[in-house]
Amino acid sequence: MLAPASRRPALLASLSVAGAAMALALTTWLFVLRTWDGQQLDWMTFEGLESARRTGAWNDLRDTLSTLRGIALAGLSISAALLVFRRRHWIGAAQIAILVAGASATTFMMNALASSVFRPHSVPVYPSDASVDMLTTLFACAGVALIIAVQPRYRPLVAVVAAIVVTPLTAAQIALYGQRPSPFVTALLVTAAWAGFATATICVARRRRYGAAPRSSMPDRDTTAIGTVVLVLIGTIAAFGSVVLIAQWYRGDLPIGGRYADQMMAFLGAALAIGATGCLSIAASLSIVQAGDDVRTSSGDEPDQTASRDDQEAPT
């Protein structure tokens, strides 16, 4: 039997986002592990900044930004947890649990399989660091968790703030540790995929009268559209800049304006790739989370006992 129209668009959108993001994550993962071009492009930032990052000032900056990333991860996670308990948003708690468990397990499995999947080409041996960055997976999950935890009318603003926090601190890691961009890009895509899978699961649960959102907490579609467009626009601009710089680096056409100018331009191309992935992933997560809250129970619009306490309509 076909699903009712009130559920079908959200469920299909969630599964479409999940499938597309997971396909991109696996494509990136395999491209870097098994092809010459993928390995060459992935190591361009590491090789360019290896000498520069040995300085004392670089190490101080590394420690500072690493501390900021840890504080941001803790702040996002604690804020999401407090909001869930404050609102008694138990269906959101289940959604976050599916997101974190699924994304973490997928990251662990991809890292466990990476050494056997790897084929040496431009890189002679499998690198010692992970093929998917677990900390980035958890960091991105914390950002999506905060989007899930807040009331729907605030989610577009929270999504933009989460992108501003998560994306630059993630992109900075490739400079501070001389790492490759692919572990961070793949981690962001894995998180977006599981945001879709988690929302699809919640869509089915809400349709079956487990945690349907009350009418008063329905997301504002105009505001959601504005927030999504802002994130997509920023992500598209970053992606275009990344493609231009990476293509120039690959052809050896990057402009040289000093001792480290070409290396820094190569770093900027990789950082923009991470930034574009982060913005587009959070935009997709925002859209599907809002769509999931628009699903009604099979008997209508009424809220059930698992709806958020502060979202209930005031009695008249």
Side-chain angles (χ1 to χ4, degrees):
M1 182 174 63
L2 292 177
S6 60
R7 178 181 59 156
R8 191 188 313 159
L11 182 60
L12 290 178
S14 300
L15 291 176
S16 297
V17 168
M22 189 60 72
L24 287 172
L26 290 173
T27 299
T28 302
W29 188 67
L30 292 172
F31 178 65
V32 169
L33 290 177
R34 299 186 66 88
T35 70
W36 189 93
D37 287 334
Q39 292 170 14
Q40 183 76 7
L41 291 174
D42 201 36
W43 282 90
M44 69 179 192
T45 299
F46 178 86
E47 293 173 351
L49 296 177
E50 177 62 16
S51 57
R53 74 185 187 92
R54 296 173 184 171
T55 64
W58 203 276
N59 291 331
D60 292 339
L61 181 61
R62 176 197 64 192
D63 295 339
T64 300
L65 288 183
S66 296
T67 301
L68 288 176
R69 194 184 190 203
I71 293 173
L73 173 59
L76 291 172
S77 302
I78 293 171
S79 298
L82 291 176
L83 282 167
V84 165
F85 284 103
R86 168 67 179 81
R87 300 179 59 213
R88 297 183 181 179
H89 189 22
W90 310 132
I91 195 72
Q95 191 173 1
I96 293 170
I98 295 170
L99 165 68
V100 175
S104 300
T106 302
T107 298
F108 178 81
M109 290 177 60
M110 292 175 75
N111 285 334
L113 294 172
S115 59
S116 59
V117 173
F118 176 78
R119 294 293 180 270
H121 292 288
S122 61
V123 178
V125 295
Y126 177 69
S128 59
D129 53 339
S131 64
V132 186
D133 187 62
M134 178 65 79
L135 185 57
T136 298
T137 298
L138 296 175
F139 198 20
C141 283
V144 177
L146 188 61
I147 294 171
I148 294 171
V150 300
Q151 294 187 36
R153 61 179 175 269
Y154 299 132
R155 282 179 184 154
L157 177 61
V158 170
V160 173
V161 172
I164 292 173
V165 173
V166 172
T167 300
L169 289 177
T170 299
Q173 303 308 304
I174 58 175
L176 302 180
Y177 295 97
Q179 293 182 353
R180 301 165 291 128
S182 70
F184 307 105
V185 170
T186 309
L188 292 168
L189 291 171
V190 166
T191 303
W194 275 99
F197 288 133
T199 303
T201 303
I202 297 308
C203 286
V204 175
R206 283 196 167 120
R207 179 62 191 169
R208 295 181 178 178
R209 299 180 59 81
Y210 296 105
R215 182 179 301 177
S216 61
S217 68
M218 288 297 103
D220 180 80
R221 295 181 180 179
D222 291 339
T223 306
T224 301
I226 293 172
T228 303
V229 167
V230 168
L231 290 171
V232 169
L233 181 61
I234 296 173
T236 302
I237 293 172
F240 177 78
S242 174
V243 169
V244 170
L245 289 174
I246 290 175
Q248 287 182 324
W249 177 89
Y250 191 75
R251 296 194 306 265
D253 294 336
L254 278 178
I256 299 177
R259 182 177 181 184
Y260 296 116
D262 54 341
Q263 291 93 332
M264 292 303 297
M265 294 295 284
F267 158 73
L268 182 59
L272 286 173
I274 296 173
T277 306
C279 289
L280 295 175
S281 297
I282 291 177
S285 299
L286 168 65
S287 297
I288 58 179
V289 167
Q290 293 287 59
D293 263 5
D294 214 4
V295 173
R296 302 290 197 270
T297 65
S298 57
S299 60
D301 297 341
E302 74 282 358
D304 62 17
Q305 295 301 315
T306 60
S308 306
R309 181 180 63 181
D310 64 340
D311 287 337
Q312 299 285 350
E313 290 181 328
T316 57

